Amino acid sequence: MRKQGNACGAKGPYLRYVELREGECRLDKRPVTEQLEFWEADKHWQYAGLKGVKIPETLSSLRQKLYQKAKDEPKFRFYVLYDRIFRKDVIACAYAICRANGGAAGVDGMTFEDIESSPDGSDGFVDAIYESLKTKTYKPAAVRRVYIPKPDGRQRPLGIPTIWDRVVQMAALLILEPIFEADFLDCSYGFRPGRSAHDALKEVHKNLKQGRKAVYDADLSAYFDSIPHDKLMKCLQMRITDRSVLKLIRMWLKAPVVEPKGKGGPKVSRRNTGTPQGGVISPLLANIYLHWFDKVFHGADGPFQWANARVIRYADDLVIMARYQGQRLREFTESKLESWLGLKLNQDKTKVVNLAASGESFDFLGYTFRYDKDLCGRDHRYLNPGASKKALKAEREKIRTLVNKKHSHVPLPKLIMRINRQLVGWSNYFRLGYSRKAFRGVNNYVMSRLIKHLHRRSQRPYKPPEGTSYYRHLKRLGLVTL
């Protein structure tokens, strides 16, 4: 069994559990206390980025108490939280999580290796953070801005805080996360404990099967960079009145951003909107802000009630599914996102799709959903989810970076091991739906790239053992085929 959060629109001290065994789906309405014991025992409360780091028993118990308090009293505002954030066990756990997650250095250039090779080591680093928070002398450093290429040729901005700031943000996250988890609705899947993109995709599949084939595919422009600080702080104040905690978050939001070096040297800027994508606390803040859209959507005057519509959201990626997309539903969505929350929809990419019509499709979280004709000639169309064209293009680009002239010196077994890691990770994500055609295309592309790579490794043409094809030879060397 797997925890699915509070059922959207449900009232009362009950959580919803869904049985995930194939062919079964049932609702478990045990009291909160029993469910929390099950949740903790089954380790669904563990933070998604732990990578094997175990939360200490004392911290786990504190998180559970915070969650239960928030769940039992939806209007309670927490006024004493700062002293929990600078507890040494919280900071030590936050450091362990950040260490496991790794990441590049911030503007100060300090790495985890530098910290651990210093005379005081990581224990001294944790003690120093504890003192700065306890004495309230902590000030965040600037955020280093980097850009990573997107599949469409544009660049995605990422903000990299210093390790010191990442640890403090993680300590705050460990304390604040259970409070807001108690409020988040079942339709939200991104950056939440025990939830994944696959859960969101399964929910889309379920709604299509239930007949909600009219889809409003919303695209928010630069969501992380456009969240209004004043409105975000008001959302936080709905649950938190501890001024020291609010001050911490406000300092992170206002921290200067250092752009990469250009002709005039690095540029430093401050903004009144946005939370840097790449910061530890940013995903939680992003969910807190869009939670209010989820809430009004499921309210008495929302489309959940009068249009029998469903929203599935993974961070800022969201789709609204209904049997019919009328003007009222579109106007409600756009007014709440743009006028009320102050965000901006990319009108070029935001569209309404009717999957009941022939040839229509939409993309969500790397998958394309469409209905295709039955290959057996029957008068029937079947739902065919699979890897999108953009996802396939991105995977080919990944393979191209692994197999190019720069890696001619890499021994073939080691190169194949790197390719296998990439292929297995990609195929695990795209295992849902009908992926055989996409997998076959990736296999062919990997094989052709490797054969070409083998021929340019030396002046003499590469030849496999006599009587063995390239395909069989590469398989013997351990190449994975999807």
Side-chain angles (χ1 to χ4, degrees):
M1 292 175 73
R2 177 166 160 353
K3 185 256 176 192
Q4 285 284 72
N6 188 27
C8 291
K11 296 181 180 179
Y14 293 101
L15 295 178
R16 182 181 172 195
Y17 285 78
V18 177
E19 181 68 47
L20 289 187
R21 294 189 186 92
E22 190 172 358
E24 292 186 72
C25 182
R26 64 184 176 84
L27 199 64
D28 186 353
K29 291 190 174 181
R30 292 179 294 171
V32 164
T33 306
E34 292 181 37
Q35 292 181 27
L36 284 172
E37 291 173 358
F38 172 83
W39 192 6
E40 196 64 32
D42 213 25
K43 298 183 180 178
H44 285 310
W45 186 236
Q46 304 298 322
Y47 179 67
L50 282 177
K51 292 185 179 178
V53 179
K54 184 172 176 58
I55 293 181
E57 188 66 33
T58 52
L59 176 55
S60 180
S61 176
L62 172 61
R63 283 162 59 86
Q64 183 173 319
K65 289 175 182 176
L66 289 170
Y67 175 88
Q68 188 164 350
K69 177 69 173 177
K71 197 69 184 177
D72 289 345
E73 301 183 39
K75 294 185 178 181
F76 182 80
R77 299 167 78 190
F78 291 80
Y79 52 89
V80 182
L81 288 174
Y82 187 74
D83 60 338
R84 272 75 167 174
I85 292 174
F86 70 76
R87 275 176 31 171
K88 277 197 178 181
D89 61 335
V90 175
I91 299 172
C93 182
Y95 177 83
I97 296 171
C98 292
R99 181 68 177 95
N101 287 335
V107 292
D108 60 357
M110 182 178 290
T111 64
F112 287 103
E113 289 74 19
D114 296 334
I115 293 169
E116 288 160 10
S117 62
S118 65
D120 295 329
S122 59
D123 290 341
F125 186 77
V126 169
D127 290 341
I129 291 177
Y130 168 78
E131 286 299 326
S132 72
L133 289 173
K134 184 179 180 181
T135 57
K136 297 187 177 180
T137 56
Y138 165 76
K139 299 287 183 185
V143 175
R144 183 166 71 90
R145 175 64 60 85
V146 297
Y147 292 89
I148 59 173
K150 296 173 71 175
D152 58 5
R154 296 182 300 163
Q155 290 188 315
R156 183 190 304 279
L158 290 181
I160 303 178
T162 63
I163 293 176
W164 185 290
D165 291 334
R166 294 210 292 267
V167 172
V168 179
Q169 287 186 25
M170 181 60 75
L173 177 70
L174 288 168
I175 299 303
L176 299 180
E177 182 184 57
I179 295 170
F180 290 100
E181 268 295 317
D183 293 336
F184 292 159
L185 301 183
D186 202 32
C187 55
S188 170
Y189 293 89
F191 307 115
R192 295 185 60 189
R195 300 184 137 231
S196 70
H198 277 181
D199 297 324
L201 291 164
K202 289 174 183 176
E203 191 67 18
V204 170
H205 187 277
K206 185 182 82 173
N207 276 279
L208 289 173
K209 290 291 187 181
Q210 291 174 350
R212 297 185 182 91
K213 298 179 181 179
V215 182
Y216 183 93
D217 185 6
D219 185 272
L220 290 169
S221 298
Y223 170 63
F224 280 84
D225 288 332
S226 61
I227 302 173
H229 289 173
D230 54 343
K231 292 184 177 181
L232 174 59
M233 293 306 298
K234 288 178 181 177
C235 293
L236 289 163
Q237 288 165 15
M238 296 296 289
R239 273 301 198 177
I240 301 169
T241 59
D242 189 323
R243 292 183 179 182
S244 298
V245 175
L246 293 172
K247 182 182 177 182
L248 264 184
I249 296 171
R250 196 176 288 109
M251 286 194 297
W252 290 327
L253 293 174
K254 299 291 184 182
V257 177
V258 179
E259 298 285 347
K261 291 183 179 179
K263 292 182 179 179
K267 180 182 176 183
V268 180
S269 61
R270 292 179 184 269
R271 302 187 64 178
N272 293 320
T273 61
T275 175
Q277 191 171 355
V280 173
I281 200 74
S282 295
L284 177 62
L285 298 179
N287 268 337
I288 290 170
Y289 195 61
L290 273 181
H291 162 70
W292 288 95
F293 174 76
D294 301 340
K295 196 172 179 67
V296 296
F297 187 94
H298 292 89
D301 299 325
F304 183 87
Q305 304 295 337
W306 47 258
N308 193 24
R310 300 292 183 269
V311 60
I312 297 101
R313 184 172 65 79
Y314 191 92
D316 59 328
D317 290 323
L318 64 95
V319 290
I320 296 169
M321 309 182 70
R323 295 180 184 273
Y324 170 73
Q325 292 280 345
Q327 187 69 20
R328 184 184 176 189
L329 180 52
R330 292 196 294 271
E331 287 178 354
F332 175 92
T333 303
E334 292 172 7
S335 68
K336 292 302 179 185
L337 288 173
E338 294 190 314
S339 302
W340 189 53
L341 290 177
L343 304 173
K344 186 178 179 181
L345 284 166
N346 184 341
Q347 296 296 342
D348 294 334
K349 293 186 177 180
T350 298
K351 58 184 179 180
V352 175
V353 177
N354 183 11
L355 288 191
S358 178
E360 292 287 337
S361 67
F362 75 95
D363 292 353
F364 185 60
L365 300 181
Y367 276 76
T368 294
F369 290 87
R370 67 177 183 271
Y371 281 87
D372 287 340
K373 290 182 179 179
D374 194 310
L375 297 178
C376 297
R378 292 172 295 187
D379 186 19
H380 172 71
R381 296 170 69 238
Y382 68 96
L383 180 59
N384 184 9
S388 67
K389 290 181 180 179
K390 187 184 291 187
L392 286 167
K393 181 181 178 182
E395 178 63 6
R396 288 194 294 269
E397 187 60 37
K398 287 277 189 180
I399 298 300
R400 191 181 293 117
T401 59
L402 287 173
V403 187
N404 59 29
K405 292 180 181 179
K406 294 180 181 179
H407 297 100
S408 294
H409 66 284
V410 179
L412 192 54
K414 189 174 182 179
L415 181 64
I416 288 175
M417 191 186 305
R418 292 177 182 174
I419 295 170
N420 286 347
R421 277 200 299 268
Q422 173 62 30
L423 291 175
V424 170
W426 188 82
S427 63
N428 282 343
Y429 181 76
F430 288 101
R431 69 180 186 270
L432 301 179
Y434 302 98
S435 304
R436 181 165 51 179
K437 184 178 179 181
F439 285 4
R440 189 163 56 237
V442 171
N443 288 338
N444 291 338
Y445 184 77
V446 171
M447 196 64 64
S448 65
R449 290 291 301 181
L450 272 175
I451 292 172
K452 183 179 179 181
H453 180 74
L454 290 173
H455 283 301
R456 69 170 173 236
R457 281 167 64 95
S458 62
Q459 294 179 351
R460 294 182 180 180
Y462 183 91
K463 291 183 179 180
E466 189 174 351
T468 305
S469 65
Y470 278 104
Y471 175 81
R472 190 175 295 277
H473 178 55
L474 291 171
K475 286 287 288 181
R476 285 176 178 172
L477 290 174
L479 180 66
V480 168
T481 53
L482 306 184

